[in-house]
Amino acid sequence: MIKEKTDMRIRKTKRALYHALEELLQKKSLSQITVTELAAHAEINKGTFYLHYKDIFELYQDALERHLK
């Protein structure tokens, strides 16, 4: 299987989002987390979040899939 190369900036952004989501989930439920709060915690712009995901639930699904690999 050939892995698709991903731009380092994308990998860093997604890593920051996964880490921020993990930390916020320790404090509150997924439905209580806002994109604004998540983006601030990940130290990215809110618009950057939407370049990668349509909503928090899509990020959560992606994080779960990556964790289960």
Side-chain angles (χ1 to χ4, degrees):
M1 176 167 38
I2 298 174
K3 280 194 167 187
E4 183 179 316
K5 287 190 177 185
T6 305
D7 187 300
M8 183 185 293
R9 293 170 296 174
I10 293 171
R11 290 194 316 262
K12 288 176 76 173
T13 298
K14 288 189 173 191
R15 192 176 319 123
L17 285 167
Y18 297 147
H19 184 69
L21 180 63
E22 182 180 359
E23 288 182 356
L24 290 171
L25 283 171
Q26 292 175 12
K27 299 173 187 173
K28 55 175 72 176
S29 71
L30 184 63
S31 62
Q32 294 175 317
I33 299 171
T34 66
V35 172
T36 302
E37 175 182 32
L38 181 68
H41 202 76
E43 297 181 343
I44 64 167
N45 291 318
K46 188 173 158 180
T48 302
F49 173 88
Y50 286 112
L51 289 174
H52 301 281
Y53 300 102
K54 68 178 180 175
D55 57 26
I56 295 270
F57 301 103
E58 185 177 35
L59 167 62
Y60 182 74
Q61 183 68 37
D62 187 40
L64 278 178
E65 288 173 8
R66 292 179 59 83
H67 180 73
L68 296 174
K69 284 185 178 179

